[in-house]
Amino acid sequence: MSMRVNMHYADLKDSYLFSSIAHKVSAYQQTHPDADIIRLGIGDVTLPLVPAVVEEMGRAVGEMGRKESFHGYGPEQGYDFLRQAIQGYYGSRQIRLDMDEIFVGDGAKSDLGNILDLFDQENRVLVPDPVYPVYVDTNVMAGRSVAFMNATEDNGFLPLPEPGLKADLIYLCSPNNPTGAVYTREGLKAWVDFALNQGALILFDAAYEAFISDPLLPRSIYEIEGARGCAIEFSSFSKTAGFTGVRCGYTVVPHELVFDGISLNKMWLRRQTTKFNGVSYVVQRAAAAVFTQRGQQEIASSLAYYRENAKTIAQALEKMGIDYTGGKNSPYIWMKCPNGMTSWDFFDHLLSQAHVVGTPGAGFGANGEGFFRLTAFGDQAKTRQAVARLQALLSER
Amino acid sequence: MSMRVNMHYADLKDSYLFSSIAHKVSAYQQTHPDADIIRLGIGDVTLPLVPAVVEEMGRAVGEMGRKESFHGYGPEQGYDFLRQAIQGYYGSRQIRLDMDEIFVGDGAKSDLGNILDLFDQENRVLVPDPVYPVYVDTNVMAGRSVAFMNATEDNGFLPLPEPGLKADLIYLCSPNNPTGAVYTREGLKAWVDFALNQGALILFDAAYEAFISDPLLPRSIYEIEGARGCAIEFSSFSKTAGFTGVRCGYTVVPHELVFDGISLNKMWLRRQTTKFNGVSYVVQRAAAAVFTQRGQQEIASSLAYYRENAKTIAQALEKMGIDYTGGKNSPYIWMKCPNGMTSWDFFDHLLSQAHVVGTPGAGFGANGEGFFRLTAFGDQAKTRQAVARLQALLSER
């Protein structure tokens, strides 16, 4: 006998979505060196960090260079100064969290993957289709089978619990990646009631909450009564403050979450203190600057910039009579491919005829076929140019 | 039925070592407010980041504030500029690594925990006693039973494979935490031969390699023939360059590591791209600065400062005729408690009579009883003062 690997990795489907896109784009660029390709595909931000964040991070770097202000190991769950700021951010929306319910991490992706350490392998996992592929892959790695719920045009890409449904771990992402759809309070309430009734746990991905401007739409699942008893919330500075390359997020694990008599908050603390050593001091200082008055004003203008892009895209689609979701309280626009084209056919068509790159919906699951994702994170002038090309292309016929 | 938790967490022993120490120290300080307590307990560094690192990190922060030089999502396995620098660092010691065998992470602790995702639960785990508690806890969390090998005075705290030994996953840490003992080439060769023979995998923790100054002692397991076929190496900038609060490390997974027909390198890449989003750009720039000529010169002077502390402590113990290991090619000094005292009795004695704090060896495992760990990471003047107090205390009798 020799060392045996985790054979569940063999059950993973190879994810070729973004590498296929990159390959197709670079092949096209090689044969058409003069084509000015505009990318509205990948969900990465393009605006730099705001000055309040840059200054504070620079100050923290300076601190690290002087013996009297140097910081070594910090608390694994995050410095108090940042957790207090996050607590205040929730407090401003009338959500009360205890300090020790907030865990600072290096991004929602890490925490969404690592949280699975806390759960038994036999739990039934429920994931919307289409979906951010990480929810599925991380469960497959752990040997869990995953059931899908259909997010389709019929339910506005916002599935609700159906009669007879059974699930232990339920993933919800609102505003949704990739569809841009946002749950109402009533929608989330249906899920919270279902989870409380079944003894299920909701893993709520709120990474895009900052894009919600409609005051009637919930930005946190804890706006829903009972959610503290059935939901963990994951959030991030990536899209809120352009931290995709800075790496910081936070996870909320309320004390009410007790399963099998065991506190998930205590388990997560144990997981993080054992397998993690906290986020870089300079990064935590940068993140805290986001919550200052100046930081909030500055990121508001970045968010407005991206919202303007979303509006540009959405208005053009409306004008062309193309169905879409998102684009209003979300940085993503999920459009129906014109003329019944498949996702990849439309990708090829748009690339070759308009030199615009988006993401084929089929890459996010079976229900994504026939849809296409555009993002609002691009440069404003280029986004306008891309939209003009899209309009020209689709009015040709 | 409701959601079930990972019940293996219930098998974890509560680790009170460092919290017990903190509690005892603060209780003593409260009743003796004038006591000038010197801490040689926790393994955290005290010197600030070197100027080459501070400047480069500050420059990277500036880049992040300008649109034309902003960095969003980076490669999960690390930027080429840093992996090339690490490749060069190994190359300077005649160890050839492919770029894609090097994975940049946020610290050895994270990678040592997360690597276990790749392995089947049934593997037999072998861990030295005494040991860095994380090796044991991370395996217990995953439901693996752990076997111990005795690290004692008789084997110089460097256990070797014994006849009849069976193991699939073997943890080695050299220079060792907590004992400061360092394997010779012959010692590591015995382990590599054993692992190759058994089809076992060695998880080699090289976090303290920079403290080895004896050219005859191996600083990487890949200095040993055959190790590429049986060992993953974990290393860190924490102790090498004072990055305990900056958070950066790296893990080497050679292509030769194929178990059950599956490449561990490919599995780890998949794990990291799915559950991790890379280390902060500014942190990676800071880490790369460590490998510049100026960075190397500057960290050499920090390392010399800590080595001087180790020498101060070791020489005093020698003078007093107290047995110890480490202190020469390691930042840790593992001393035998005088007069047959237990670890905690000596802790209390040292705290109350000399106002010096160390770490009771019993906290690292059964074989640590009767031993005591001191670290070289303190301030030089305070370390000398602590040693003087220790000498005064132990010569009293």
Side-chain angles (χ1 to χ4, degrees), chain A residues 9 114, chain B residues 114 117 267-275:
Chain A
Y9 271 60
N114 294 335
Chain B
N114 294 335
D117 283 15
M267 285 183 82
W268 182 239
L269 178 65
R270 188 64 200 253
R271 194 271 168 209
Q272 292 297 79
T273 52
T274 304
K275 293 194 184 184

Side-chain angles (χ1 to χ4, degrees), chain A residues 1-7 9-10 12-15 42-50 53-55 57-58 61-67 70-74 76 79 106 109-111 113-114 116-124 132-134 137-138 141 168-169 198-201 208 238-239 242-247 259-260 262 264 266-268 270-283 305 378-380, chain B residues 1-7 9-10 12-15 42-50 53-55 57-58 61-67 70-74 76 79 106 109-111 113-114 116-124 132-134 137-138 141 168-169 198-201 208 238-239 242-247 259-260 262 264 266-268 270-283 305 378-380:
Chain A
M1 279 301 282
S2 75
M3 200 282 290
R4 283 138 295 165
V5 304
N6 173 0
M7 289 305 294
Y9 271 60
L12 286 166
K13 292 200 183 71
D14 274 320
S15 172
I42 297 172
D44 200 357
V45 296
T46 51
L47 290 178
L49 297 179
V50 299
V53 167
V54 171
E55 279 174 29
M57 186 154 41
V61 170
E63 275 188 86
M64 295 294 276
R66 294 185 301 274
K67 188 166 183 176
F70 173 76
H71 284 74
Y73 289 121
E76 288 91 345
Y79 278 100
D106 64 324
K109 186 179 173 191
S110 296
D111 282 7
N114 294 335
L116 295 178
D117 282 14
L118 311 193
F119 311 129
D120 187 90
Q121 193 184 332
E122 298 304 317
N123 287 301
R124 294 160 300 186
Y132 177 48
V134 160
D137 289 349
T138 50
M141 285 171 169
D168 303 307
L169 291 169
Q198 296 251 326
L201 179 69
Y208 303 97
S238 284
K239 308 302 162 67
F243 271 44
T244 52
V246 178
R247 308 309 314 141
F259 291 82
D260 294 328
I262 297 176
L264 296 188
K266 287 215 172 79
M267 284 184 82
W268 182 240
R270 187 65 200 254
R271 194 272 167 207
Q272 292 296 80
T273 52
T274 304
K275 293 193 183 185
F276 185 57
N277 237 330
V279 172
S280 187
Y281 173 72
V282 303
V283 169
Y305 179 98
D379 176 82
Q380 227 165 53
Chain B
M1 280 302 282
S2 75
M3 199 283 290
R4 282 138 295 166
V5 304
N6 173 359
M7 290 305 294
Y9 270 60
L12 286 165
K13 294 203 181 71
D14 274 320
S15 171
I42 297 172
D44 201 357
V45 296
T46 51
L47 290 177
L49 297 180
V50 299
V53 167
V54 171
E55 279 174 30
M57 186 154 40
V61 170
E63 276 187 88
M64 295 293 276
R66 294 184 302 273
K67 189 166 183 176
F70 174 75
H71 282 76
Y73 288 122
E76 287 92 344
Y79 278 100
D106 64 324
K109 186 180 173 190
S110 296
D111 283 6
N114 294 335
L116 295 178
D117 283 15
L118 311 194
F119 311 129
D120 188 89
Q121 193 183 330
E122 298 304 316
N123 287 301
R124 295 159 299 187
Y132 177 49
V134 160
D137 289 350
T138 51
M141 285 173 169
D168 303 307
L169 291 169
Q198 296 251 324
L201 179 70
Y208 303 96
S238 285
K239 307 302 162 67
F243 270 46
T244 52
V246 178
R247 308 309 312 141
F259 292 81
D260 294 328
I262 297 176
L264 295 188
K266 286 214 172 77
M267 285 183 82
W268 182 239
R270 188 64 200 253
R271 194 271 168 209
Q272 292 297 79
T273 52
T274 304
K275 293 194 184 184
F276 185 57
N277 237 332
V279 171
S280 187
Y281 173 73
V282 302
V283 169
Y305 179 97
D379 176 83
Q380 226 165 55

Side-chain angles (χ1 to χ4, degrees), chain A residues 377-388:
Chain A
F377 291 121
D379 176 82
Q380 227 165 53
K382 287 196 173 185
T383 301
R384 271 191 231 108
Q385 215 181 331
V387 165

Side-chain angles (χ1 to χ4, degrees), chain B residues 83-385:
Chain B
R83 295 196 294 153
Q84 249 153 22
I86 295 167
Q87 188 184 39
Y89 181 62
Y90 276 91
S92 71
R93 291 175 281 150
Q94 281 70 54
I95 298 168
R96 286 182 58 180
L97 300 178
D98 287 345
M99 280 276 284
D100 63 357
E101 293 176 325
I102 300 164
F103 296 80
V104 175
D106 64 324
K109 186 180 173 190
S110 296
D111 283 6
L112 277 160
N114 294 335
I115 198 82
L116 295 178
D117 283 15
L118 311 194
F119 311 129
D120 188 89
Q121 193 183 330
E122 298 304 316
N123 287 301
R124 295 159 299 187
V125 178
L126 187 65
V127 167
D129 170 5
V131 75
Y132 177 49
V134 160
Y135 305 155
V136 177
D137 289 350
T138 51
N139 277 290
V140 171
M141 285 173 169
R144 289 190 199 90
S145 56
V146 172
F148 292 94
M149 47 181 162
N150 293 316
T152 63
E153 283 183 288
D154 291 342
N155 56 28
F157 297 97
L158 295 167
L160 292 173
E162 287 176 7
L165 178 69
K166 302 273 174 205
D168 303 307
L169 291 169
I170 301 160
Y171 285 84
L172 298 177
C173 176
S174 177
N176 190 269
N177 176 12
T179 70
V182 186
Y183 274 107
T184 60
R185 285 179 209 279
E186 295 66 36
L188 286 189
K189 180 75 166 58
W191 279 114
V192 166
D193 290 345
F194 172 83
L196 290 172
N197 187 265
Q198 296 251 324
L201 179 70
I202 294 170
L203 301 173
F204 189 76
D205 185 347
Y208 303 96
E209 59 86 13
F211 284 86
I212 296 179
S213 42
D214 183 342
L216 294 179
L217 294 173
R219 290 170 60 180
S220 163
I221 196 161
Y222 303 121
E223 295 180 31
I224 310 304
E225 205 190 321
R228 288 180 55 90
C230 66
I232 293 176
E233 181 160 295
F234 302 86
S235 200
S236 169
F237 297 92
S238 285
K239 307 302 162 67
T240 305
F243 270 46
T244 52
V246 178
R247 308 309 312 141
C248 199
Y250 50 93
T251 293
V252 178
V253 188
H255 292 303
E256 283 88 333
L257 296 174
V258 176
F259 292 81
D260 294 328
I262 297 176
S263 155
L264 295 188
N265 181 287
K266 286 214 172 77
M267 285 183 82
W268 182 239
L269 178 65
R270 188 64 200 253
R271 194 271 168 209
Q272 292 297 79
T273 52
T274 304
K275 293 194 184 184
F276 185 57
N277 237 332
V279 171
S280 187
Y281 173 73
V282 302
V283 169
Q284 292 193 59
R285 281 289 178 198
V290 170
F291 296 109
T292 59
Q293 202 183 349
R294 182 179 159 210
Q296 286 290 300
Q297 279 164 4
E298 290 176 353
I299 65 158
S301 100
S302 299
L303 290 168
Y305 179 97
Y306 294 135
R307 280 199 192 101
E308 185 62 30
N309 283 343
K311 200 171 159 187
T312 302
I313 300 169
Q315 283 181 341
L317 294 175
E318 243 157 64
K319 219 166 152 186
M320 291 185 279
I322 294 175
D323 288 339
Y324 70 96
T325 49
K328 284 181 186 74
N329 295 283
S330 158
Y332 294 121
I333 295 95
W334 182 248
M335 63 177 281
K336 199 164 184 175
C337 299
N339 308 322
M341 287 174 111
T342 69
S343 298
W344 279 107
D345 283 349
F346 185 60
F347 174 90
D348 291 332
H349 185 61
L350 200 59
L351 172 60
S352 61
Q353 303 305 310
H355 301 164
V356 171
V357 177
T359 311
F364 298 100
N367 288 325
E369 183 57 278
F371 291 87
F372 202 74
R373 192 190 77 174
L374 296 169
T375 85
F377 291 121
D379 176 83
Q380 226 165 55
K382 289 196 173 187
T383 301
R384 269 191 232 107
Q385 213 180 331

